[in-house]
Amino acid sequence: MPYDLLIKGGRVLDPGQGLDGPLDIAIANGDIAAIRADIPPAEATRVMQLKGQLVVPGMIDMHIHFIQGAATPGLNEIAGPPDLAGVQSGVTTVLDAGTTGAWNFGVYPHYVVGKTQTRLLCMLNIGKMGIPGQALRKPEIYTTEDVDIDATVKVVSMWPKLIQGIKLRLVGPALESMGVKLIELAKEAGRETKRPLMVHLGDLISHNQRAGEVTKALLRALEPGDIVTHVCTSVPGGVLDGNKRVLPELREAEQRGVVFDPAHGRSGFNFEVAQRLAEQDFHPSTISTDITINGRKGPIHSLTETMSKFLALGYSLPDVIAMVTTNAAKALRRENDLGALAVGRVADISILDVVNGKWRFRDSQENVFHGEQALVPVHTVRAGKPISLDWGPHPWGWLPEDAAT
Ligand SMILES: [Zn+2]
């Protein structure tokens, strides 16, 4: 029986499986049927002929806010269709990082799931109404009245496969009025739902100086498998002390098995903080975008451009690929079905190009830095089906800004 699709002539790179080399991948019935060198084209109905491009496991963006209709019902001021941040950007799985809470979560299963080609996963916000509009710049929790643990537990039990964990943002006046009570409430929800927490660091809203103290309490309280997001933030509540040294609480949390993600966002990724962390041998285990419609226009642009920024920081290509595949799958407790190229697995595959040049990047504070390698998406294959990419976030497409112009 012929294969439905043969991906031929690429460099298969899956650090989680120890694969790196010139291999072909054959797909049948939506699954990977063979991975080996020189599979004859005559054995497949369709052949995708590459010229050494990277063939990697379907990439996972584990922090987006790109759910049309969910962010601001009826308005969509910040949210686009999930496929634009997903399969049309070379990404096969996206995780919405708590745009909705227990009182409005129903928008996903009823209006979003089933209407995308991208695989959708979610975090449920501990704030019962999720994140209100205005580009995520308003807090979702002012008092304990804004948290409904019973409803949170019920919603997770209704959609256990869709909801991966509980999201908490340490932002706004509640840092002052509630402090560590915020963490206790989220932990209670995590315990009751048997889900990890994903906690946003960095008080982008009120720039409260108490944020640092709450962050230390958070780092002490997190358990193995909990996720800290925006680890490279430079706003109050970050992980460096006044002398730009890594907080001891951060090291301890890392040793306990807490996951650290640098979700870029429009305030969460500072190049100097990322450098200081790397210099002190502290490395995030994943990469994600925190992308919104506005962030797509800049400075985030795309997952591949965010990965290129980590190449510019000195991370290796296999490391950067591992961060959005095997590591992200593990962080989401989905390593049994996502983030790997293996026979029998669903054929979620991203095909990328590495383009050498002089590239200019900007962090969330618009600080400029440079790199020499740019990753761009070339094709997406989702459950064995090739899907066309969008034009890209820049007027010229997917490449970052050319530093020569
Ligand atoms: Zn976010």
Side-chain angles (χ1 to χ4, degrees):
M1 200 175 76
Y3 299 123
D4 301 320
L5 178 67
L6 175 61
I7 302 172
K8 215 176 154 46
R11 169 185 170 192
V12 171
L13 177 58
D14 178 356
Q17 304 286 302
L19 288 175
D20 184 0
L23 296 167
D24 299 341
I25 298 184
I27 293 162
N29 302 317
D31 293 336
I32 296 175
I35 304 177
R36 61 173 190 271
D38 303 319
I39 301 175
E43 292 183 18
T45 314
R46 295 165 105 186
V47 179
M48 188 184 277
Q49 181 66 52
L50 305 177
K51 291 189 173 133
Q53 283 94 348
L54 289 179
V55 179
V56 307
M59 297 194 296
I60 301 167
D61 189 342
M62 57 182 271
H63 192 140
I64 71 158
H65 298 278
F66 224 86
I67 305 291
Q68 223 160 24
T72 40
L75 293 175
N76 292 323
E77 66 183 319
I78 61 160
D83 280 345
L84 185 54
V87 287
Q88 293 172 335
S89 294
V91 176
T92 57
T93 298
V94 295
L95 176 114
D96 179 83
T99 307
T100 58
W103 284 27
N104 55 4
F105 182 78
V107 68
Y108 286 98
H110 294 298
Y111 302 108
V112 184
V113 171
K115 296 196 173 72
T116 69
Q117 291 177 291
T118 311
R119 186 193 307 275
L120 282 185
L121 302 173
C122 300
M123 290 278 164
L124 182 65
N125 202 305
I126 183 72
K128 68 188 183 189
M129 291 300 289
I131 300 172
Q134 304 298 329
L136 315 176
R137 305 261 162 165
K138 280 187 183 167
E140 56 273 45
I141 302 175
Y142 291 88
T143 72
T144 47
E145 290 293 298
D146 296 318
V147 176
D148 183 341
I149 299 279
D150 290 344
T152 300
V153 172
K154 191 169 174 204
V155 167
V156 173
S157 71
M158 287 168 82
W159 289 287
K161 287 197 176 135
L162 193 53
I163 302 174
Q164 306 294 304
I166 304 293
K167 175 78 184 285
L168 166 68
R169 291 201 308 161
L170 290 179
V171 295
L175 283 173
E176 194 70 50
S177 59
M178 294 171 70
V180 293
K181 178 75 183 160
L182 282 168
I183 300 164
E184 286 163 12
L185 283 170
K187 281 194 65 118
E188 184 185 345
R191 243 186 346 261
E192 299 273 318
T193 58
K194 300 187 175 62
R195 293 289 188 286
L197 303 185
M198 178 189 268
V199 186
H200 162 127
L201 290 188
D203 183 13
L204 72 166
I205 294 173
S206 58
H207 291 261
N208 192 316
Q209 294 307 322
R210 251 199 100 187
E213 189 190 311
V214 178
T215 291
K216 286 185 192 170
L218 171 82
L219 291 171
R220 285 192 292 265
L222 291 178
E223 293 171 39
D226 288 338
I227 300 164
V228 169
T229 182
H230 310 303
V231 72
C232 302
T233 188
S234 61
V235 301
V239 298
L240 297 179
D241 69 13
N243 298 317
K244 306 201 168 169
R245 303 293 305 167
V246 167
L247 293 175
E249 288 86 352
L250 185 78
R251 297 260 186 228
E252 286 156 25
E254 183 190 32
Q255 276 155 17
R256 276 203 310 281
V258 173
V259 176
F260 291 92
D261 182 81
H264 191 309
R266 294 208 298 157
S267 84
F269 177 76
N270 180 274
F271 181 68
E272 196 201 335
V273 172
Q275 265 182 323
R276 299 278 179 190
L277 290 173
E279 280 162 16
Q280 293 172 64
D281 205 26
F282 180 89
H283 305 288
S285 46
T286 52
I287 297 175
S288 69
T289 60
D290 194 12
I291 201 162
T292 57
I293 278 285
N294 290 335
R296 188 174 192 268
K297 293 175 194 149
I300 308 167
H301 302 296
S302 63
L303 182 62
T304 42
E305 191 158 327
T306 306
M307 293 157 70
S308 305
K309 292 178 184 183
F310 278 84
L311 293 175
L313 275 161
Y315 287 78
S316 72
L317 182 64
D319 280 350
V320 163
I321 298 299
M323 288 160 101
V324 298
T325 58
T326 180
N327 295 6
K330 273 186 204 129
L332 299 176
R333 304 182 180 185
R334 295 292 295 260
E335 65 268 40
N336 291 333
D337 64 336
L338 301 180
L341 295 173
V343 172
R345 292 268 187 134
V346 67
D348 283 3
I349 298 169
S350 301
I351 297 158
L352 310 174
D353 222 346
V354 187
V355 184
N356 294 316
K358 293 247 180 288
W359 309 111
R360 184 190 298 125
F361 302 108
R362 294 167 202 275
D363 68 10
S364 302
Q365 284 69 41
E366 294 286 334
N367 301 305
V368 168
F369 58 103
H370 295 91
E372 284 170 3
Q373 288 183 304
L375 283 165
V376 291
V378 179
H379 296 289
T380 309
V381 176
R382 167 79 179 97
K385 244 182 72 184
I387 293 166
S388 303
L389 297 177
D390 177 71
W391 173 262
H394 296 281
W396 55 85
W398 290 101
L399 285 169
E401 281 177 56
D402 188 340
T405 58

